[in-house]
Amino acid sequence: MAVQRTINAETLVDPFSDALADVCPADTLSPAERYQELFVAVQTQRVFADSKTFVDCAPRQYPEHILQAYRAEHHGPDFDLAAFVDAHFSVFSFAERDFDADRSASLCAHIDRLWPVLTRHPCEHPQRSSLLPLPFDYVVPGGRFTELYYWDSYFTMLGLDASGQCELMRHMADNFAYLIDTYGHVPNGSRTYYLSRSQPPVFALMTDLFEECGVRRASDYLPQLRKEHAFWMDGADHLPAGETHRRCVRLPCGSVLNRYWDDRDTPRDEAYLEDVETAHACARPPHHVYRDLRAGCESGWDFSSRWLDDPQQLSSIRTTRILPVDLNSFLYKLERQIARLSAIRDDPQSAEAFDALADARRVAIDRYLWSAEAGTYLDYDWQRASPRTALTAAMLTPLFVGLASPTQADGVATAVSEHLLMPGGLATTTVDVSAQQWDKPNGWAPLQWIAIRGLQHYGHAQLAEEIEQRWLSIVAERFEQGSKLVEKYVLQAGAEPADGGEYPLQDGFGWTNGVTRQLLREDPKHQANRCRAGTCSVHEQRVDVQPSGT
């Protein structure tokens, strides 16, 4: 755990400073809304290989003028759509920042050097693009992800803390407060086409980190925490038993639990053609498929057999019919945090009310998301009134936020040891027949962190250390082979780079850097601290990632 720092009130900047007043209002229309039939033509005719490229492009003129020109020209016999797009848009990119891996530098030093490369400045934002304005500097994941992402950023900030990047953390904190104040929630990412959904609500976790690192008082953000809670609970107060509204489901017993959702039921702007093709692959109404795909993106697990009826068919996705273990655990943490900070701010009535909400959620989680038969937490299909049977790494989130009982934590630890532990760390699910990236054999940095911390909270230090040792070893092995950190990893020694999902493996990479940097600081004796970039071939594993037993 990060060391508690003393906050010096004299050095704190007002989180609601005049800098916020200088932010230009966003054009909140998505590219699909803004460019209409031009958008459809570009995406369906594959002007760009990656559907995300066009929606991130910067227009060279006012969008209204571009659409008008398209309507006037596109029926002409010599009209060339690709040439039209090239003339009226520039592919979005930030200025190149020279960076070469230093073979003499440690993995920690490599990550420390990456923060400036991944940092973006609002003054660089192109005009009239889909990029949402922000008041302060921020860190992006890397690769095709050139904007701020919500839950990624919490894990990235762990590394900023370990690297001593306090000012950048402060800027990130205030950016999230700005987003909540401006839009009522934190969008999936800082693009107009992400405004209809959020991501796992980890702002409460961020506020703890800000306070631990001496960046801000957590109570500075109490108003934003309450606004975020209102967003997730919209419609819950007057919802009849058995009914749903947006992200809320009132169960037959009267309890309310939450699901992932998206306020739109159209193809995603950033994956338009892919979504249309997915919807055509099944008999379900297309708008149902689109909503479930979008809700899968809100989960952060986009995509996983966790949301599918058939692990081999993305079109079988049913995200909105599922009550997820991790989402409800994060909301439990949010309610406890609001209660704690309300007490600090001398508001006992609010503290009591939110403690009661957290208590009620914990009872509902125990009733619907804990499986005595499986001995662990499982997602729940509220439509079919039955638990999902697949085991996933989400089972560790209740331990991470402290809502599990010791007996429940013991059951989760057993399930992890028997089913999810791999040579390179914690597997995402037990399903290995899926083509989705959030499935076995891939491992992801945020899930390793949640598992390690959750197990430590409940006294399972040996298993937590086993996951940490294996994860650091697999990251170090890949670093020695390829001189970089990546988005996800195949958790086997000597394996090919991870694949699956809708896009190629991305370099960067924000949350891998963050989690790895923090773990290396906490375990300075791990051999990963001694590895160097590009010092072995694919066939020369200098870091042992074989299981050492549990």
Side-chain angles (χ1 to χ4, degrees), residues 52 56 92 94 131 138 140 143-148 191:
K52 192 175 186 299
D56 292 354
F92 177 77
F94 286 105
L131 197 60
Y138 56 95
V140 303
R144 73 199 284 267
F145 301 111
T146 58
E147 50 280 315
L148 180 73
R191 294 275 180 185

Side-chain angles (χ1 to χ4, degrees), residues 20 23-24 133-135 173-183 224:
L20 302 183
V23 180
C24 296
L134 291 168
D174 293 345
N175 279 329
F176 283 106
Y178 169 81
L179 288 168
I180 294 173
D181 285 338
T182 304
Y183 304 108
Q224 288 77 25

Side-chain angles (χ1 to χ4, degrees), residues 2 44 66 95 157 185 260 291 339 355 360 423 432 454 500 502 534 543:
T44 56
I66 295 174
M157 286 187 220
H185 67 287
Y260 290 113
R291 177 98 71 190
D355 267 333
D432 57 7
E502 301 179 297
V543 180

Side-chain angles (χ1 to χ4, degrees), residues 235-248:
D237 289 346
H238 305 292
L239 196 60
E243 297 293 322
T244 66
H245 180 75
R246 297 182 78 201
R247 292 163 177 81
C248 297

Side-chain angles (χ1 to χ4, degrees), residues 422-424 440-441 474 477-478 489-496 545:
M422 292 185 66
K440 192 177 182 180
I474 206 77
E477 179 195 278
R478 300 295 183 268
Y489 292 80
V490 173
L491 302 179
Q492 299 282 0
E496 292 297 317
V545 295

